[in-house]
Structure formats: C-alpha cells, structure tokens
Amino acid sequence: MIEVHAFATPNSIKVLIALEEMGLPYELKPVNVRKGEQKSDAFLALNPNGKVPVLVDDGFVLTESAAILVYLAEKTGQLLPQDGVARARVFEQLFFHASGLSPAFGNAGFFKRSSPEPQPIAEARFTTEAERILGLLDAKLATQEFVAGEEFTIADIAHFGWMWRIAFPGLTLDGRPHLSRWFDAVAARPAVQQAITRAEALVEIQQPAA
C-alpha cells in the first residue's frame, strides 16, 4: 500500500489528485504543517528537507511533488505521453512550474501573509511575476485544451495545485477566461473533487475538539 505524508497544501494536493486519477489505493498520513509537524524527528527521517508531500511505496521513499508525479505516471503508464514531443511538452510545463510558477506564488504569499516585517519590494516583485505567469498560461490555454496540449496530464495536476490555493498569494483568475475555463474543467473531474475532499479533511481532523 502506498503511503502519502501530506497536508492541505498546493504541493500535497497534486499527489492526491494523481493517485485518485490513476485509481491507486493509498493511505493518507497527516502532517500538520501549521503545527510544525514537518520538523519532527520522525518526519525528517523521511524527508530531511522538512517539506510535504512524501510518498512511500513498498519501502521506496520519494520527495518533491513533481518527481512523485513522474514516478506515479511511469508506474501506471497514465497521464504522461510516451511520444517524444508530447512527453517533452509535459516536462516543459513541469519544469516551468517548479522553476517559475511555484516559487512566484509561494513567495508572493509569504511576503503578503507571513513575513515578520513588511517587505513591499519583495512582495511587489513576486506578485508581479505571479501575475505575469498567469497571463502566460491564459495565452497558452487560448489555443489548446490543457497546459501541455490536448490531453489531461500530470502537468495540469501540477499547475492546479497552486490554482486551488490561489487566494494565498492574493491572486485571482479574473480577466483570464481561458485559464478560468481550464480551472473549472479540472476542478469538475471526480478524481480531483475526491482528492480535495480528502485533503481538506486533514485540516478538520487535526482541529481540537470544541
């Protein structure tokens, strides 16, 4: 049985969506990052980097959400094309996500919500970059159904993680009709809805009893 150590975060939801889409059974192990559980000795033994998600598959431990998506796609033969060009387009978006979208969104959110002191220059820089990236995706989706082409892939799952939590960096999809169309289509998928339900339940079960 696959284990996933995760919380209701943009990176965690990607793995849950992939598992639900691929029909793989898994056990969800909550790691409440709001309480600092990702810094516990037990968790650091799995991931010294102290970040969720972590996947454990028959003793094989894997970190980094994009790497987990690729591993699961290779394991099942799903959501990652075998054709060289189509496959390259998926990796192009995965690398774009890891190097551009995720850092911009995460840093914009940090400087708006979590910085010990106001950092207007940093906040403006990352917010502007996040807005630019949203524009790039909207333009791309004006000419194709999904982010890497005409088929739903792990690249869509990667991007959806942060779109699902777009309010954290204070962004919206307003004025981006193609990106909004894509988001609604992905969010309507039964596997995505099931993954979101399971992720959000992690927050509820960790709340203290009234």
Side-chain angles (χ1 to χ4, degrees):
M1 172 74 74
I2 292 173
E3 292 182 1
V4 183
H5 299 254
F7 198 58
T9 65
N11 288 326
S12 292
I13 195 68
K14 303 170 193 175
V15 177
L16 305 191
I17 291 172
L19 289 163
E20 294 289 345
E21 287 280 352
M22 296 168 185
L24 291 173
Y26 63 98
E27 183 178 358
L28 195 49
K29 302 282 191 177
V31 181
N32 193 327
V33 299
R34 297 176 184 174
K35 295 181 178 180
E37 292 178 358
Q38 75 278 16
K39 298 178 183 178
S40 69
D41 290 342
F43 185 79
L44 291 173
L46 289 174
N47 183 9
N49 196 30
K51 295 181 181 297
V52 291
V54 174
L55 181 138
V56 183
D57 186 8
D58 193 25
F60 171 63
V61 180
L62 187 63
T63 67
E64 297 297 327
S65 59
I68 295 172
L69 291 179
V70 174
Y71 171 76
L72 293 173
E74 296 281 11
K75 179 183 178 75
T76 63
Q78 299 181 54
L79 304 183
L80 179 60
Q82 296 302 308
D83 172 74
V85 172
R87 187 180 180 87
R89 290 300 181 199
V90 172
F91 280 103
E92 179 182 46
Q93 287 300 311
L94 287 176
F95 296 151
F96 171 64
H97 180 89
S99 66
L101 190 153
S102 186
F105 277 49
N107 282 304
F110 172 81
F111 286 110
K112 284 185 178 181
R113 295 175 177 268
S114 306
S115 179
E117 298 179 1
Q119 300 286 342
I121 295 176
E123 180 182 333
R125 175 186 177 184
F126 288 112
T127 298
T128 299
E129 178 63 5
E131 294 278 8
R132 185 184 74 85
I133 288 171
L134 289 175
L136 290 175
L137 287 174
D138 188 62
K140 179 174 286 293
L141 289 163
T143 60
Q144 58 193 48
E145 194 71 13
F146 296 102
V147 297
E150 299 306 318
E151 302 293 332
F152 180 78
T153 69
I154 56 174
D156 296 285
I157 295 175
H159 288 333
F160 183 84
W162 264 114
M163 300 304 162
W164 174 59
R165 285 290 189 245
I166 197 168
F168 174 73
L171 303 168
T172 75
L173 299 181
D174 294 347
R176 300 181 174 91
H178 311 297
L179 189 54
S180 295
R181 182 268 307 162
W182 167 87
F183 177 85
D184 290 342
V186 175
R189 296 175 71 92
V192 175
Q193 294 178 0
Q194 177 63 17
I196 290 173
T197 297
R198 295 202 66 180
E200 291 179 340
L202 295 179
V203 179
E204 295 170 6
I205 65 175
Q206 300 256 329
Q207 294 299 318

